[in-house]
Amino acid sequence: DTGVSQNPRHKITKRGQNVTFRCDPISEHNRLYWYRQTLGQGPEFLTYFQNEAQLEKSRLLSDRFSAERPKGSFSTLEIQRTEQGDSAMYLCASSQTGSHSPLHFGNGTRLTVT
Amino acid sequence: QKEVEQNSGPLSVPEGAIASLNCTYSDRGSQSFFWYRQYSGKSPELIMFIYSNGDKEDGRFTAQLNKASQYVSLLIRDSQPSDSATYLCAVGKNTGNQFYFGTGTSLTVIP
């Protein structure tokens, strides 16, 4: 068990550019979550996958954000036409099936939009 | 009303004292409750989870849940400087699979 892996660790981009982040969950976990966290705030839910199916998506998530989990293993989160307000830590977490299964977080990708 | 509320702190306790962190939640149907520790610039790390009313102990940590009052707390006994971090309360709802997080309580343990 190598834990949840996220790449890259840091990303600096100019406003208007597209960025893509990758998450590799714990291998036996079939649930995968994306969260966003800004300074002084708790993680904010973005979207959730069970296997390859995207089952929930925050209504706060603009259409510039898209996530995929094509084979039910790794996931990507893409942000198109980035804005300065997108600057945040993007956290990926995975869990086993079960209503009480806790989330296990990766190290996150810190995005800075200049 | 926020789903999960925590006092942001900062909370300061002397080394060796008991630190008490509190959290309230709005959805009475919530079923699972978690405490995460987050060091500055790092990702959240799971410390404790609790599902039933009462206390649950794990080493120096005790989680307490009172569903009637919609209240969950974390006690840290014999606090150490290495416990200095932000503590996040997370709640799992009974519908869907979202976990809602509070804004976190900043704890400083003074040597």
Side-chain angles (χ1 to χ4, degrees):
Chain A
D1 178 3
T2 58
V4 179
S5 176
Q6 289 188 249
N7 287 288
R9 293 293 305 275
H10 303 274
K11 179 69 177 179
I12 300 173
T13 191
K14 292 184 177 180
R15 187 175 54 189
Q17 297 296 305
N18 299 344
V19 294
T20 300
F21 310 141
R22 177 179 170 125
C23 172
D24 289 88
I26 294 171
S27 57
E28 61 266 28
H29 289 182
N30 59 5
R31 291 182 175 175
L32 187 147
Y33 298 76
W34 286 99
Y35 281 81
R36 176 172 62 190
Q37 188 177 25
T38 54
L39 193 63
Q41 300 298 313
E44 174 190 27
F45 172 79
L46 294 179
T47 190
Y48 149 72
F49 292 84
Q50 173 125 352
N51 299 313
E52 67 276 8
Q54 187 174 18
L55 297 186
E56 291 187 50
K57 190 174 177 180
S58 170
R59 63 182 183 275
L60 301 176
L61 202 63
S62 83
D63 57 8
R64 297 184 297 105
F65 287 71
S66 62
E68 294 182 342
R69 194 182 183 195
K71 297 183 179 180
S73 57
F74 73 92
S75 175
T76 58
L77 177 68
E78 181 183 17
I79 309 174
Q80 295 181 329
R81 305 180 302 282
T82 53
E83 302 173 355
Q84 287 187 323
D86 296 331
S87 295
M89 175 76 86
Y90 288 84
L91 294 165
C92 177
S94 68
S95 75
Q96 294 178 325
T97 305
S99 58
H100 295 324
S101 297
L103 300 180
H104 298 267
F105 285 91
N107 289 325
T109 293
R110 181 168 296 283
L111 173 66
T112 302
V113 181
T114 62
Chain B
Q1 183 181 9
K2 291 184 179 180
E3 296 278 355
V4 181
E5 299 213 44
Q6 297 180 252
N7 287 330
S8 61
L11 174 66
S12 294
V13 299
E15 184 174 356
I18 296 175
S20 178
L21 305 163
N22 305 315
C23 171
T24 58
Y25 58 95
S26 61
D27 185 348
R28 187 170 290 277
S30 298
Q31 293 187 334
S32 50
F33 308 87
F34 307 89
W35 283 99
Y36 287 83
R37 177 175 62 200
Q38 187 172 30
Y39 293 112
S40 180
K42 303 296 185 182
S43 62
E45 171 192 11
L46 180 68
I47 299 176
M48 293 277 299
F49 54 88
I50 186 168
Y51 311 131
S52 304
N53 275 328
D55 295 0
K56 180 182 179 183
E57 186 174 320
D58 184 1
R60 297 187 295 112
F61 299 96
T62 299
Q64 299 174 317
L65 175 61
N66 183 326
K67 289 186 176 181
S69 299
Q70 295 175 238
Y71 176 91
V72 59
S73 66
L74 179 70
L75 300 178
I76 307 174
R77 290 182 299 282
D78 188 23
S79 296
Q80 301 297 308
S82 59
D83 294 327
S84 298
T86 295
Y87 288 80
L88 296 164
C89 172
V91 173
K93 304 187 77 171
N94 63 338
T95 56
N97 291 285
Q98 290 191 33
F99 293 78
Y100 290 90
F101 286 80
T103 56
T105 298
S106 175
L107 171 67
T108 300
V109 180
I110 303 168

